[in-house]
Amino acid sequence: MMRQAGFIDINVGPPVDVFGGAGGEANAREFAVYGYAFVAYKPH
């Protein structure tokens, strides 16, 4: 999806538990939902 939006040099980090302690934590765990940090560049 990011490439289709015109981004290049896309780097994605490891999965991170971003729902720990949140109200939806149980659902996030059930469906293995994680957050991912990323960096990408879009040429001018």
Side-chain angles (χ1 to χ4, degrees):
M1 181 185 339
M2 292 180 69
R3 288 194 203 294
Q4 291 171 339
F7 287 94
I8 61 170
D9 297 331
I10 302 165
N11 292 298
V12 181
V16 178
D17 178 8
V18 295
F19 289 99
E25 181 177 5
N27 290 332
R29 299 241 184 275
E30 182 176 345
F31 294 101
V33 176
Y34 296 96
Y36 293 86
F38 64 88
V39 64
Y41 300 93
K42 193 165 188 178
H44 296 309

